[in-house]
Amino acid sequence: MPVSGFSSIGDRLTEALVSGDFELYQQVMELPLTIIPVGEAPYVLSDEASLRRDFDLYHNVLKLHGVTDIFREVRGVSDEGGGVHRILCRVHIMARANRIADPFLSEMRIRSRDGQWRILEIRSLAAHIDWTLGGNGSGQDFLKR
């Protein structure tokens, strides 16, 4: 899977989250979607309603903090077989030209369905996931002060 294919997913994901476009967000995600906060229990978004709640929380937090871009710098791609790929990326959350948090590593498992790459699983810092759900980045100082 070329890195450019993942770049397209990352761009569409960012556009959906920053603009509030749930339909675009749905096009990039595959249900059930597994979310893994590193060091904590994973959880599954199994239906459209749970995906919508997760999306709304994340979009509202981005809006609150003036986020204008999320840049995912691909650090590695591995083929897991069966058309599934794991993407390791360094994530930069930006408000204009300023980082609002230190860059952090995240992983996504993706696969192609109906000719379109979709995200099956997201693994990220527990503090980042807590922040996306409206928390303050529990356990560490996620946001730059």
Side-chain angles (χ1 to χ4, degrees):
M1 184 225 136
V3 171
S4 62
F6 177 71
S7 294
S8 172
I9 292 174
D11 290 347
R12 291 184 5 241
L13 178 58
T14 295
E15 180 183 342
L17 286 166
V18 171
S19 71
D21 186 341
F22 180 68
E23 287 182 26
L24 180 57
Y25 189 73
Q26 281 184 296
Q27 293 172 17
V28 203
M29 301 298 182
E30 181 151 331
L31 296 174
L33 173 68
T34 302
I35 308 293
I36 304 172
V38 175
E40 295 187 8
Y43 62 95
V44 176
L45 303 175
S46 56
D47 57 25
E48 184 178 326
S50 62
L51 184 68
R52 180 66 194 225
R53 279 189 302 276
D54 186 78
F55 170 81
D56 287 343
L57 288 167
Y58 200 171
H59 169 68
N60 288 335
V61 163
L62 295 179
K63 206 163 102 173
L64 176 70
H65 292 281
V67 172
T68 55
D69 195 16
I70 303 169
F71 174 69
R72 295 166 191 86
E73 172 190 357
V74 175
R75 308 287 284 201
V77 178
S78 58
D79 185 341
E80 295 190 341
V84 175
H85 293 78
R86 183 173 298 275
I87 312 295
L88 174 65
C89 50
R90 186 174 172 105
V91 180
H92 306 263
I93 301 177
M94 312 294 290
R96 299 185 188 251
N98 301 303
R99 283 190 180 93
I100 67 163
D102 288 329
F104 59 93
L105 292 177
S106 182
E107 291 182 4
M108 293 182 193
R109 291 180 66 230
I110 64 172
R111 78 166 154 224
S112 182
R113 184 169 59 92
D114 301 328
Q116 184 170 323
W117 291 98
R118 296 176 186 266
I119 300 168
L120 309 165
E121 177 185 288
I122 299 170
R123 177 183 304 264
S124 192
L125 289 176
H128 171 246
I129 292 173
D130 177 65
W131 180 75
T132 68
L133 298 175
N136 61 2
S138 66
Q140 53 183 287
D141 191 15
F142 182 71
L143 293 179
K144 288 186 167 198
R145 302 285 181 235

